[in-house]
């Protein structure tokens, strides 16, 4: 829950997928400091990103800027994204994404 644990990185998208539950999964080229390449927007954050045009405006091969925490415990975990933008357009602000993630953990 410590906001200082989240870092900002830029990476090129290699895959985007939406789950039946509304979550968005994003695979990127290996970002510095992360041990995996799979990230996700939870249902509430994915809705915000979709409402801001993420699905129609961002494609495989685009470079995104995102924030996530680079460490986790367990196997098979997908890093949660708490901030997402491309070329200055914000699809999910940190304040909103962080709040959504904390609610998900309650």
């Amino acid at each position: 829950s410590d906001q200082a644990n989240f870092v900002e990185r830029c990476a090129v998208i290699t895959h985007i997928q939406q789950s039946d539950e509304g979550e968005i999964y994003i695979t990127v080229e290996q970002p510095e400091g992360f041990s995996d390449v799979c990230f996700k927007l939870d249902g509430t954050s994915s809705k915000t990103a979709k409402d801001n045009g993420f699905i129609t405006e961002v494609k495989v091969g685009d470079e995104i800027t995102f924030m996530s925490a680079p460490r986790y415990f367990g196997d098979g975990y997908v890093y949660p994204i708490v901030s997402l933008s491309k070329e200055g357009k914000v699809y999910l602000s940190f304040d909103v994404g962080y709040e959504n993630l904390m609610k998900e953990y309650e």
Side-chain angles (χ1 to χ4, degrees):
S1 65
D2 185 352
Q3 291 185 10
N5 289 329
F6 293 90
V7 297
E8 184 176 84
R9 294 290 184 265
C10 295
V12 174
I13 296 175
T14 59
H15 185 76
I16 301 172
Q17 180 177 345
Q18 293 183 71
S19 73
D20 293 338
E21 294 79 29
E23 297 171 323
I24 298 173
Y25 289 86
I26 301 170
T27 306
V28 299
E29 293 178 355
Q30 187 72 51
E32 180 185 342
F34 286 84
S35 62
D36 205 341
V37 295
C38 299
F39 296 83
K40 84 170 185 176
L41 292 160
D42 67 31
T44 306
S45 290
S46 66
K47 181 178 179 341
T48 300
K50 288 178 205 175
D51 289 349
N52 288 325
F54 177 78
I55 293 298
T56 58
E57 297 174 8
V58 179
K59 307 287 182 231
V60 169
D62 288 350
E63 183 176 78
I64 58 169
T65 301
F66 65 93
M67 289 185 75
S68 187
R71 297 195 178 206
Y72 61 80
F73 298 96
D75 187 26
Y77 182 77
V78 178
Y79 293 105
I81 290 177
V82 294
S83 170
L84 180 62
S85 63
K86 179 186 132 187
E87 298 174 352
K89 173 152 185 194
V90 176
Y91 297 100
L92 178 67
S93 70
F94 178 78
D95 292 340
V96 171
Y98 176 81
E99 182 179 326
N100 291 342
L101 181 63
M102 292 304 103
K103 286 180 182 176
E104 183 177 312
Y105 287 158
E106 289 178 350

